[in-house]
Amino acid sequence: MVKVKVKLFAVFADAVGTKELVIDLSGEKVKVKDVLEYIRSKYPKFREVEENVPILMLVNGINVLPDDEVKDRDEVSFLPPVSGG
Amino acid sequence: MHPEISSVNASTLSKEEKIRYSRQIMIFGEEGQKKLKSARVVVVGVGGLGSASSTYLTAAGVGRLILVDKDVVELDNLNRQVLHWTRDIGKLKVRSAAEKLRELNPEVDVEGLAVEVNEESVYDIIKEADVVVDGLDNWGTRMIINKACVELGKPFVHAGVHGMYGQLTVIIPHESPCLQCIVPSAGTKPKSGTFPVLGTTPAILATLQAQEVIKLITGHGRPLIGKLLIFDGTTTTFTTIEVSRRKNCPACGNPAMQQ
Ligand SMILES: [Zn+2]
């Protein structure tokens, strides 16, 4: 079991309705994309927002890719870098 | 001056200039002001971000300011693009902006380029720049500028806005992560859509951009290199996170690099 704290920023927090979640994921090796998939399945609005906004993914403050690993008690952040000017 | 910036520093300040800039000369000295006077800054996009950054860069006395935008002023620009006024609707943005900036500070050599930024034109647009400032409204064109800045070794001060949200970072090629390292999932096709935005949001981010440019040029303070500042205007929160380079980055990657 891997317990992670998920921090959501800006439009992602709006979509989920909170800035912070604590989630438990089963499995030996958990990846960032598993965390994403969990949020997508629980919060359909997140998926909607995601279609139009790129995601910046961080694990413990370092930018990572979907295939990177997440360990127990890591902090995963999802931020939407915005593109208007 | 940041070591990446290598403009000559041969200028002197007139009596008027010493008075005009006296309050900031108190911060970084006449030496800092002369560095600003010798600097060439390119602002790509004269919309919400570019209006504010170019205003403050002009007031601060950069030597040469090159504005790049192919668009004309439209009515729905006016809530945020404060260099363009009601009478300017239909006028080229670079012309509308340059007129006011020259009046604000005749010491600054303001030039406007009404050209499209693409893979071919980008090199000519940025080749003379000591610093390139992001005033764009889409990821695709930003990534074109990002790649060219990496190739030519130009510092690139990025900001983006949406609604009351925004972000900012300073990119020093081969030293800090580039934009593609930070946002690998952003589309690379130039595409600009209609996005919600309150005028104050680009003003906040763009004045920070101008400040980072001035820091890079004068060498005063520590620019936001390798860090991304996230602004949430709905809660008035600034968050700064560390960002790292990717060795397989298509724009700046080097497989031999230590990560
Ligand atoms: Zn890169």
Side-chain angles (χ1 to χ4, degrees):
Chain A
M1 199 77 130
V2 174
K3 189 191 275 288
V4 295
K5 189 200 269 183
V6 180
K7 286 179 89 173
L8 300 154
F9 288 79
V11 288
F12 294 142
D14 295 343
V16 171
T18 178
K19 286 180 188 294
E20 211 169 291
L21 293 168
V22 177
I23 60 172
D24 291 310
L25 292 160
S26 55
E28 291 276 289
K29 255 203 162 159
V30 173
K31 292 179 172 183
V32 178
K33 65 181 178 193
D34 300 324
V35 179
L36 263 180
E37 204 41 61
Y38 175 92
I39 296 173
R40 284 176 189 142
S41 65
K42 265 200 108 173
Y43 304 95
K45 256 197 152 167
F46 183 89
R47 193 191 288 274
E48 264 172 55
V49 171
E50 207 191 346
E51 273 171 25
N52 299 305
V53 184
I55 301 192
L56 173 55
M57 294 165 258
L58 311 171
V59 172
N60 304 327
I62 304 291
N63 50 322
V64 295
L65 291 170
D67 277 323
D68 288 326
E69 206 185 328
V70 178
K71 298 204 176 65
D72 194 35
R73 305 198 179 270
D74 274 350
E75 183 180 277
V76 183
S77 307
F78 296 121
L79 305 103
V82 289
S83 63
Chain B
M1 184 174 281
H2 193 276
E4 306 293 327
I5 300 171
S6 59
S7 58
V8 281
N9 183 21
S11 57
T12 53
L13 301 175
S14 67
K15 204 172 140 199
E16 287 74 23
E17 285 174 302
K18 285 181 189 173
I19 298 168
R20 179 185 283 266
Y21 306 121
S22 56
R23 298 304 180 91
Q24 65 196 48
I25 287 173
M26 294 167 82
I27 301 170
F28 41 66
E30 288 188 13
E31 280 316 300
Q33 193 62 47
K34 286 182 197 165
K35 287 175 185 171
L36 280 175
K37 192 178 174 180
S38 312
R40 290 151 302 184
V41 179
V42 174
V43 176
V44 192
V46 196
L49 288 170
S51 283
S53 61
S54 61
T55 299
Y56 281 88
L57 290 167
T58 299
V62 299
R64 186 141 185 256
L65 190 67
I66 300 162
L67 309 171
V68 185
D69 203 312
K70 66 173 183 2
D71 291 337
V72 296
V73 178
E74 293 178 59
L75 181 58
D76 71 356
N77 298 156
L78 302 186
N79 78 318
R80 63 194 184 283
Q81 303 184 11
V82 294
L83 267 184
H84 313 308
W85 301 346
T86 307
R87 66 168 196 223
D88 299 314
I89 291 169
K91 198 186 277 182
L92 275 171
K93 287 186 181 178
V94 290
R95 213 185 120 206
S96 155
E99 282 171 3
K100 283 120 187 167
L101 295 172
R102 286 176 193 134
E103 273 196 66
L104 168 61
N105 190 350
E107 311 278 359
V108 178
D109 175 13
V110 182
E111 190 190 333
L113 295 176
V115 296
E116 186 188 53
V117 180
N118 57 41
E119 275 105 343
E120 283 84 54
S121 67
V122 67
Y123 297 97
D124 263 355
I125 290 168
I126 67 165
K127 69 177 181 217
E128 282 189 64
D130 293 310
V131 187
V132 179
V133 184
D134 183 350
L136 292 156
D137 63 357
N138 69 90
W139 285 118
T141 314
R142 277 195 177 90
M143 291 307 176
I144 290 171
I145 299 272
N146 174 68
K147 189 162 171 280
C149 283
V150 167
E151 286 171 20
L152 302 187
K154 307 284 187 188
F156 180 39
V157 180
H158 159 72
V161 293
H162 183 104
M164 294 173 77
Y165 302 120
Q167 80 270 335
L168 172 82
T169 192
V170 175
I171 296 158
I172 306 293
H174 307 297
E175 179 184 322
S176 72
C178 78
L179 207 53
Q180 190 100 53
C181 293
I182 299 171
V183 198
S185 61
T188 47
K189 283 204 196 86
K191 171 185 119 200
S192 71
T194 303
F195 60 95
V197 62
L198 189 67
T200 48
T201 313
I204 289 162
L205 275 300
T207 48
L208 287 171
Q209 280 180 293
Q211 186 168 271
E212 293 304 301
V213 172
I214 293 163
K215 284 159 67 184
L216 283 169
I217 293 168
T218 60
H220 188 83
R222 256 187 322 177
L224 194 73
I225 298 167
K227 290 177 188 154
L228 184 71
L229 181 140
I230 316 279
F231 172 65
D232 180 345
T234 65
T235 54
T236 322
T237 315
F238 289 91
T239 311
T240 307
I241 57 168
E242 303 247 345
V243 281
S244 53
R245 289 185 69 190
R246 288 178 202 288
K247 65 179 175 194
N248 57 356
C249 171
C252 79
N254 168 7
M257 186 183 91
Q258 299 248 319
Q259 216 169 16

